């Protein structure tokens, strides 16, 4: 597998995103206000750069509105995922949120000209099996259908819709212009929502503010500039499935910084998950008929 620029960007984005659940789990700020400042600080840093460098290009009205919609969808995804992580375990929230490749595959099949190949569906099944192995079958069977559960599922659905729409927008709009518009929309949307719900905008510790800035720079700007670039040049289904690997990296980071235990079962699940992702990058289409014939 050649490490092209889009693939390298995707790897970089995944590494940056993997830090996010660790920072949210610290609970230094409420989940919703954390999502707001992640967007607000990110656009505050990005906007001067694109304006001074004259790299911002306002797209047509249609694509501007779609970019705004992407901002609302993505910020909603981050907000409900934050709440799901803080109200349950990071493992449960990550498992349910990472069902997004399934929704992306279904959405691509229904709405996009580029239909998911056999490799995608095979890789999805293998990766989801790996994810269930990673967290444990008993844990998966004991999921509680509470608010945190519903929010985690909603997060995955919102992200899949965002990815499908952003794939369309990024075919006509450059990454920096898209990110600027979507982040600006995200900040206004979440700011109004936090105000209406009486979320505290101040009163955090110095560490809390530092974590908020870290989320904006690493988990938002670095991560999503990289992922957006990858989305622009790769299939949406392949990008969404590759993002599943963040669960493996997050588990390692949780072991290092939160002293969460890593078992042999988790290692096995991680290997299966990564193998499933590798299947989607296999150039030759895997034929189920040939596989069944060989098995006979």
């Amino acid at each position: 597998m050649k490490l092209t620029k889009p693939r390298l960007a995707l790897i970089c984005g995944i590494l940056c995103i993997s830090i996010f659940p660790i920072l949210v789990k610290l609970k230094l700020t409420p989940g919703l206000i954390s999502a707001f400042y992640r967007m607000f600080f990110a656009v505050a840093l990005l906007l001067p750069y694109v304006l001074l460098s004259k790299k911002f290009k306002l797209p047509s009205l249609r694509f501007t509105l779609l970019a705004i919609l992407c901002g609302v969808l993505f910020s909603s995804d981050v907000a409900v995922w934050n709440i799901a992580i803080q109200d349950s375990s990071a493992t449960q929230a990550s498992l349910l949120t990472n069902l997004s490749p399934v929704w992306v595959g279904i959405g691509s099949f229904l709405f996009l000209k580029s239909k998911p190949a056999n490799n995608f569906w095979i890789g999805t099944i293998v990766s989801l099996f790996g994810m269930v192995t990673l967290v444990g079958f008993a844990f998966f069977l004991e999921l509680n259908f509470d608010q945190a559960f519903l929010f985690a599922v909603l997060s995955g659905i919102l992200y899949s819709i965002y990815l499908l729409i952003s794939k369309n927008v990024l075919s006509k709009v450059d990454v920096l212009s898209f990110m600027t518009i979507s982040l600006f929309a995200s900040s206004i949307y979440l700011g109004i929502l936090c105000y209406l719900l009486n979320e505290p905008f101040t009163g955090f510790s110095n560490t809390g503010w530092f974590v908020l800035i870290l989320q904006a720079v690493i988990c938002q700007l670095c991560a999503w500039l990289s992922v957006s670039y990858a989305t622009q040049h790769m299939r949406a289904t392949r990008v969404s499935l590759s993002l599943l690997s963040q669960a493996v990296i997050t588990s390692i980071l949780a072991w290092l910084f939160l002293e969460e235990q890593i078992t042999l079962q988790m290692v096995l699940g991680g290997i299966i998950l990564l193998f499933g992702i590798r299947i989607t990058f296999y150039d030759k289409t895997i034929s189920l008929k040939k596989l069944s014939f060989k098995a006979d």
Side-chain angles (χ1 to χ4, degrees):
M1 184 175 67
K2 294 181 180 179
L3 285 177
T4 59
K5 286 183 179 180
R7 289 176 178 178
L8 285 172
L10 183 58
I11 292 170
C12 177
I14 289 169
L15 291 172
C16 294
I17 294 171
S18 301
I19 303 170
F20 184 64
I22 307 299
L23 299 177
V24 173
K25 198 60 184 174
L26 295 175
K27 293 185 178 181
L28 297 174
T29 58
L32 192 57
I33 204 71
S34 173
F36 163 71
Y37 276 117
R38 171 176 165 173
M39 306 300 165
F40 177 76
F41 286 144
V43 75
L45 292 169
L46 183 62
L47 190 58
Y49 170 75
V50 296
L51 292 178
L52 291 173
S53 62
K54 297 181 180 180
K55 292 187 176 182
F56 178 77
K57 298 176 182 178
L58 186 66
S60 65
L61 179 61
R62 178 195 172 196
F63 285 103
T64 299
L65 292 175
L66 285 174
I68 291 172
L69 177 60
C70 284
V72 173
L73 286 169
F74 182 74
S75 57
S76 298
D77 161 37
V78 173
V80 296
W81 192 34
N82 282 7
I83 296 170
I85 291 173
Q86 293 189 345
D87 289 352
S88 64
S89 67
T91 303
Q92 175 175 314
S94 296
L95 170 65
L96 296 171
T97 298
N98 281 312
L99 290 174
S100 58
V102 178
W103 312 126
V104 171
I106 294 171
S108 297
F109 181 79
L110 294 174
F111 302 111
L112 295 184
K113 293 180 181 179
S114 177
K115 308 299 182 185
N118 285 344
N119 295 15
F120 169 77
W121 296 114
I122 295 170
T124 296
I125 293 171
V126 173
S127 294
L128 291 178
F129 178 77
M131 181 159 288
V132 174
T133 304
L134 182 71
V135 301
F137 293 94
F139 180 87
F140 183 78
L141 294 173
E142 294 171 2
L143 288 175
N144 294 317
F145 295 88
D146 53 11
Q147 176 180 288
F149 176 93
L150 295 174
F151 273 20
V153 172
L154 178 60
S155 173
I157 294 173
L158 288 168
Y159 174 70
S160 64
I161 297 171
Y162 160 81
L163 195 61
L164 290 170
I165 296 176
S166 66
K167 175 65 177 176
N168 181 32
V169 178
L170 287 166
S171 65
K172 300 293 182 182
V173 183
D174 67 277
V175 172
L176 286 175
S177 298
F178 168 75
M179 286 290 293
T180 303
I181 295 170
S182 62
L183 281 173
F184 192 75
S186 297
S187 300
I188 294 175
Y189 166 69
L190 286 177
I192 293 172
L193 193 60
C194 288
Y195 177 78
L196 293 175
L197 294 176
N198 294 319
E199 290 286 322
F201 285 88
T202 57
F204 313 126
S205 65
N206 291 335
T207 306
W209 284 114
F210 175 74
V211 167
L212 289 174
I213 294 172
L214 203 62
Q215 287 181 27
V217 175
I218 304 298
C219 307
Q220 187 59 43
L221 280 181
C222 294
W224 290 101
L225 283 171
S226 300
V227 172
S228 294
Y229 177 79
T231 303
Q232 192 176 41
H233 296 88
M234 297 170 64
R235 290 194 291 270
T237 48
R238 182 173 284 181
V239 172
S240 67
L241 192 58
S242 298
L243 289 172
L244 284 175
S245 61
Q246 74 177 74
V248 178
I249 302 170
T250 298
S251 298
I252 296 172
L253 293 174
W255 171 66
L256 289 172
F257 299 106
L258 300 180
E259 297 182 355
E260 292 187 6
Q261 187 179 6
I262 292 182
T263 63
L264 182 61
Q265 177 180 312
M266 294 174 69
V267 174
L268 178 62
I271 293 172
I272 295 172
L273 189 153
L274 292 173
F275 177 68
I277 295 171
R278 179 63 184 89
I279 289 174
T280 68
F281 282 85
Y282 188 61
D283 294 328
K284 295 182 180 179
T285 302
I286 299 172
S287 174
L288 294 177
K289 289 183 179 180
K290 289 182 179 180
L291 288 175
S292 61
F293 179 76
K294 289 180 179 180
D296 294 338

